[in-house]
Amino acid sequence: MAKATPPLDLASEEGLAKLGANWSCDSNDAATVKLWRVSEKDDALHCEHTFHPSYTYPMFGDEETLFGYQNLHVDFNFAAHDLRLNVDVRYTKKFAPVGDIEAVDIPKALESFVPAGAFGLRKDFASALEVDQSAPTFTPPGRVIHNYSVSGQHYEVWCSNLLDPRAQEIMRNSQVLMPMFIEGATVINLDDADENVYRRWKIYLVYRLVPPKPDAPPSPTISKYSLVGYATSYRLWYLSAGRAPKPAFPPDYVFPAENLSSSITATLPSLPTPVNSASPTPISSPADDPFPDTMADVDHPVRERISQFLILPPFRGAAHGTHLYTAMTALFLSDPRCLEITVEDPNEAFDDLRDYLDYARLTNNAANPGLLADPALAQGFTALRIDPDKARDAIKAMPRDKQEGALPVHAMLDVPAWRALHRASKIHHREFDRVLEMRLLSQIPAAHRTPARLALRHNAPQPADRTYYFWRCLVRERLTLHNRDSLRGLEKEEREERLAEAVGNVQLDYERLLEGIRRRLEKAEAIRAVAGDEDGGRVESRGQKRKSARVVVDDEEDEDDGDGGVGIGSAQANGNTSGGKKARIEEE
């Protein structure tokens, strides 16, 4: 008779190692996201897309390991049209508890990420979809704000605030996708939300429109909508210098310069600015409102903050992120209540996308989707340039002991135009200054963008060398202001060394982005010439990783750079972000 296998010695490291090898698996491999829909080809339910998450540590721990199962599968099944969710957990064996050692409780690990009723058998989920006669009449919540075509397929972007119960349901079901594909992302908690919170939040849904089968009668269970990606945003009061919301727009309302806390223009003496350059038009009645979902049914100035942004993996690289960001920005630009567009915790991929599209809008080039074309704004923006002669003369007019490190911004740039263009663009001051710096750098010949050209500083004989010197001074000033707390404790020599290195890294990053913009422009022009398609290029950035001076500060108005996947992080439903961030200069 064969001898029974002796039990493992769980008191030894070898025994524990064998136990882990026999009963553990990678949670990223065990988890699978599946999009299901009834196909128009055969009227049968099919899994159209299957993909694994990039991250599961928010649910299952930093090791991304699930213990206690053999042949484990955790399927996140979504209906492609309404995002109905089923979580199906399957395995062949489950570990019997031994003392304190037991299998991971998967439903408990997921309870903060999926609705309570999401767990069940896949066959029950499939059966419900196969007989769902509401699918053909399904339309996404809200209204269409943008439509476009890619490679002969048609897409729509829908927008709804969360007062619509269907939008709430889609939001709850989709939240688990954010931490799966955006590193560091968190879910939006709607449990304690009230009507005012629902009014502040919007969800944006990108759908592919699936054409019906030719010469076939309509199917009773087929939906023409299939989800591609989604985003969310919420509104914040636009606070005045006294940290109180302004009650309404007066006819001569001017964007308050004192709110530009990290902008160079905030440190400059106030100069007369044309009132009509960016004054919002008050909404006289609800009938005049193009999108009547105000934050509290009053016409307060607000800031719109993009909270989440995700294109699902099967659809990346086809410009869907470009069109989604474009549609959202166009909506915010058309709303006279919205004074500023901000982004919460953007990662590198989203930062690149935003830099490309904001630069395209402000320069009105061929890579810019027509929805955001603003020739007047672009004309003013492209006209901004450093005047090396006026800047040099302004420094020479100063007392000799004041010339070292002087930055005569009013002499080198048209500051009133800078301020007016910033207001009109509705871009956050930090992003606007970055895009402006990128534009100013593009005006300097590449041969003159080297430290060797800085020896004579503002006295350099060639205008391009002086321009490069003043450009570096401008970037240095922004970084100094933005990092003032972390720089305050450094010795002068170390401070100057770190700032010089940071400016060099900013230049490298801008040159990488400008090269990417050049490639996107060439692609857009080629597509337009061949097929008339103004697609705009790939959403994701490829190639050299972003390397720049980055700052994280404890300021609700700042946009903190993140890292990781394609998209951005999120906030809780009340619009508050996690605090405790300390200022620092950070490079990667």
Side-chain angles (χ1 to χ4, degrees), residues 130-164:
E130 288 172 340
V131 298
D132 182 11
Q133 297 191 4
S134 67
T137 58
F138 168 82
T139 56
R143 65 183 179 89
V144 178
I145 61 171
H146 180 47
N147 56 73
Y148 62 97
S149 297
V150 175
S151 301
Q153 294 186 319
H154 301 290
Y155 300 85
E156 291 178 345
V157 180
W158 289 70
C159 175
S160 173
N161 64 24
L162 295 190
L163 289 174
D164 190 326

Side-chain angles (χ1 to χ4, degrees), residues 146-225:
H146 180 47
N147 56 73
Y148 62 97
S149 297
V150 175
S151 301
Q153 294 186 319
H154 301 290
Y155 300 85
E156 291 178 345
V157 180
W158 289 70
C159 175
S160 173
N161 64 24
L162 295 190
L163 289 174
D164 190 326
R166 297 183 303 150
Q168 296 176 31
E169 187 70 15
I170 291 175
M171 174 83 93
R172 288 190 176 95
N173 290 341
S174 65
Q175 283 305 292
V176 70
L177 296 171
M178 276 293 162
M180 283 183 172
F181 298 101
I182 311 300
E183 187 171 10
T186 57
V187 300
I188 296 172
N189 182 9
L190 297 175
D191 292 343
D192 300 324
D194 57 19
E195 180 177 329
N196 196 41
V197 171
Y198 288 144
R199 189 183 302 277
R200 291 170 57 193
W201 280 86
K202 296 186 186 73
I203 187 168
Y204 308 82
L205 302 164
V206 183
Y207 278 100
R208 178 171 64 96
L209 300 184
V210 183
K213 186 177 181 180
D215 303 324
S219 171
T221 59
I222 295 179
S223 173
K224 68 178 181 178
Y225 293 98

